[in-house]
Amino acid sequence: MSKRPARHRAPQGARRYLLGTALAATALATALLGNDAGSAAPRGTAVSAAANTRSARPVVISATATSSPAAGSATGTTSPSAANPTAGPSAAPGTTAAAPPQRRKTRKPEQPPAAPANNPNCTLTVPANPLTAQGLAAPYVLSGTEPGGDCHEANNDQSAFVEATIVDPATGALSIYRPLVVDRGDKPAVAPVAPALPAGAVVGIWFGFNGDTLRLRGEGDSLNTGACVNGTDGSPFGQFGYCNARSFFTAANNAIVKGQLSVPALGIGNDGLACPTVRDFGVVDQDQSDNVTTAYVATASGRTAQAGHLAGGTPLTNGSDNGLLDNFIDPALGCKPFTAPDLTRGGAPGTSLALDELQAAAHQSVPVALVPLSDPMTQIDGQQSVAKANLYRAGVDQPMVNTGTDTPEAYCANLAKTGATRLAADRQFFAQAPAPGAGANLADFLTQRLQSSLQTLGCQG
């Protein structure tokens, strides 16, 4: 485990304000859950008063782009701006893969606790031409980030996940595809399904990870051709990354403006309220809008296949906000997620991070939860970074940071008040619903998750 950086505290007046709102939420959460709600969760780095001034050039934090996924010395690659002019300024060649020491990420309650012997940091090799049908069907290759030992996809503590959402610019039609991840040196248990893409298809790809920090490595020039972003220069996001997200959202939003694409309304839940989105303070946690809904299946020997294409085996799932909303919260409230044909499963309806963000952008009412400067994934060495937060937001189609209103204090206040209020209103439905964690109902799970998020974000003093 890397050394945790020094904790930076907000100004005293802000701490009093945050503590007041957080204590109110804690009292409500304790009343909802009982004495267990007051148990201490891992405490994260509190927010700093000023944005970090260290360089925040967008770059793929990776090992060398190679012609073979098995190779990998620790040198870096340039940013994807050549392939995507909107991605930001280019980073200088030679950026090293070894990032500065980073604190161990506080895991989401829906993710498995890490075993001490596991390497929490892994590297994922992006195949050649990742935005094409051939590239989507080519397996991504998982390996361990050095030092730290190997990574194995079938180990749920180290599993990485890939999810593509596709828009046809001629019609506005959306579809989903789920590229497979295999171990370095392994072959798929079942060959991936080859997707059929429309002419001129605009493909966006997003990554999820159950460990701490996932780095992307390119096969050949795949990181540039794919417009892939893994963080800023020397500071990866952690569990999140994307390829060509900006171009995808631009094409999807153009289709909405033209009337080719209609994003479904949220509907009304069993609680009489609008169904929640991934930008609802009743849903978000300390690092919102990360991870995906993709799942795989693994054989007893550790080889993997796309879900639905291997009988038996062990399911591999990504502990994500999107999966929590689509697979647990929505069903408990009688709501339905935004779906599109899943090309991995013969066109059956499927969910994705991109669909969730499109629906949230179209229909979430105020207050709207946007990735905050206090999110650990957007910080550099524990300090706020507007540039890194903006790079993260670009990957989920959120507006750039307004430093006057998008403050950690405002985010804490909304999470403490709106999040706890919605949880109280829905407890009767959640208490009877299953949760991602074994042995807990959804009400208890979400209450504990809210408490942990308030602590991790520094909302409690």
Side-chain angles (χ1 to χ4, degrees), residues 103-117:
R103 65 194 179 104
R104 187 73 178 257
K105 185 182 184 295
T106 301
R107 289 174 179 261
K108 295 175 180 291
E110 57 267 34
Q111 291 176 329

Side-chain angles (χ1 to χ4, degrees), residues 10-52:
Q12 184 175 6
R15 294 203 303 271
R16 292 196 192 101
Y17 170 70
L18 295 178
L19 181 59
T21 56
L23 287 175
T26 300
L28 177 54
T30 303
L32 288 169
L33 183 59
N35 291 336
D36 290 343
S39 60
R43 201 165 184 81
T45 303
V47 299
S48 148
N52 188 280

Side-chain angles (χ1 to χ4, degrees), residues 1-8 41-46 100-107 212 376 379-383 452 455-458:
M1 181 184 301
S2 59
K3 184 179 179 181
R4 185 183 297 268
R7 188 169 186 266
H8 300 275
R43 201 165 184 81
T45 303
Q102 296 193 22
R103 65 194 179 104
R104 187 73 178 257
K105 185 182 184 295
T106 301
R107 289 174 179 261
D212 286 355
Q379 297 185 340
I380 298 177
D381 297 337
Q383 296 286 318
S452 177
Q455 292 176 322
T456 299
L457 291 172

Side-chain angles (χ1 to χ4, degrees), residues 24-419:
T26 300
L28 177 54
T30 303
L32 288 169
L33 183 59
N35 291 336
D36 290 343
S39 60
R43 201 165 184 81
T45 303
V47 299
S48 148
N52 188 280
T53 57
R54 178 181 158 187
S55 170
R57 297 171 294 174
V59 64
V60 179
I61 308 303
S62 69
T64 300
T66 65
S67 57
S68 168
S73 59
T75 57
T77 63
T78 58
S79 80
S81 57
N84 180 5
T86 64
S90 296
T95 305
T96 60
Q102 296 193 22
R103 65 194 179 104
R104 187 73 178 257
K105 185 182 184 295
T106 301
R107 289 174 179 261
K108 295 175 180 291
E110 57 267 34
Q111 291 176 329
N118 287 333
N119 184 356
N121 305 315
C122 303
T123 296
L124 193 64
T125 299
V126 178
N129 305 309
L131 305 181
T132 67
Q134 181 181 8
L136 288 173
Y140 284 64
V141 177
L142 187 72
S143 58
T145 301
E146 297 300 335
D150 293 337
C151 286
H152 298 287
E153 182 65 16
N155 181 342
N156 210 29
D157 294 342
Q158 300 173 320
S159 301
F161 300 83
V162 188
E163 182 174 275
T165 303
I166 302 125
V167 60
D168 182 346
T171 66
L174 296 171
S175 56
I176 300 164
Y177 184 79
R178 307 184 192 280
L180 181 64
V181 176
V182 300
D183 284 0
R184 182 169 62 185
D186 246 349
K187 293 183 178 180
V190 177
V193 174
L197 302 184
V202 182
V203 178
I205 300 173
W206 290 264
F207 302 95
F209 185 50
N210 285 346
D212 286 355
T213 301
L214 182 69
R215 288 177 170 83
L216 300 181
R217 168 168 40 208
E219 180 179 344
D221 197 37
S222 63
L223 297 180
N224 280 324
T225 59
C228 299
V229 179
N230 195 197
T232 56
D233 189 356
S235 180
F237 291 127
Q239 296 180 336
F240 179 72
Y242 57 87
C243 298
N244 209 43
R246 299 188 193 210
S247 293
F248 167 82
F249 282 121
T250 296
N253 288 324
N254 285 340
I256 292 172
V257 172
K258 293 178 182 178
Q260 297 173 319
L261 172 58
S262 178
V263 178
L266 296 177
I268 301 298
N270 295 332
D271 55 4
L273 302 173
C275 291
T277 78
V278 288
R279 301 183 191 178
D280 189 313
F281 279 101
V283 171
V284 300
D285 62 358
Q286 72 266 7
D287 43 20
Q288 70 170 86
S289 298
D290 67 334
N291 291 291
V292 297
T293 65
T294 290
Y296 305 125
V297 63
T299 66
S301 64
R303 294 171 66 191
T304 55
Q306 292 165 315
H309 294 276
L310 179 67
T314 301
L316 302 174
T317 57
N318 186 203
S320 71
D321 299 339
N322 298 280
L324 179 63
L325 174 65
D326 296 340
N327 300 326
F328 294 92
I329 295 176
D330 275 351
L333 295 177
C335 298
K336 295 182 179 180
F338 185 13
T339 63
D342 187 342
L343 304 181
T344 319
R345 308 195 70 166
T351 61
S352 75
L353 175 150
L355 296 183
D356 286 341
E357 293 293 346
L358 284 171
Q359 189 173 45
H363 299 304
Q364 177 61 49
S365 61
V366 294
V368 179
L370 302 173
V371 174
L373 294 171
S374 50
D375 182 338
M377 291 198 201
T378 70
Q379 297 185 340
I380 298 177
D381 297 337
Q383 296 286 318
Q384 294 176 21
S385 169
V386 172
K388 190 177 180 185
N390 281 337
L391 195 62
Y392 193 110
R393 286 190 179 195
V396 290
D397 198 32
Q398 293 183 4
M400 299 296 95
V401 173
N402 180 332
T403 55
T405 58
D406 293 348
T407 65
E409 293 84 358
Y411 195 90
C412 281
N414 280 314
L415 183 61
K417 180 179 179 181
T418 307

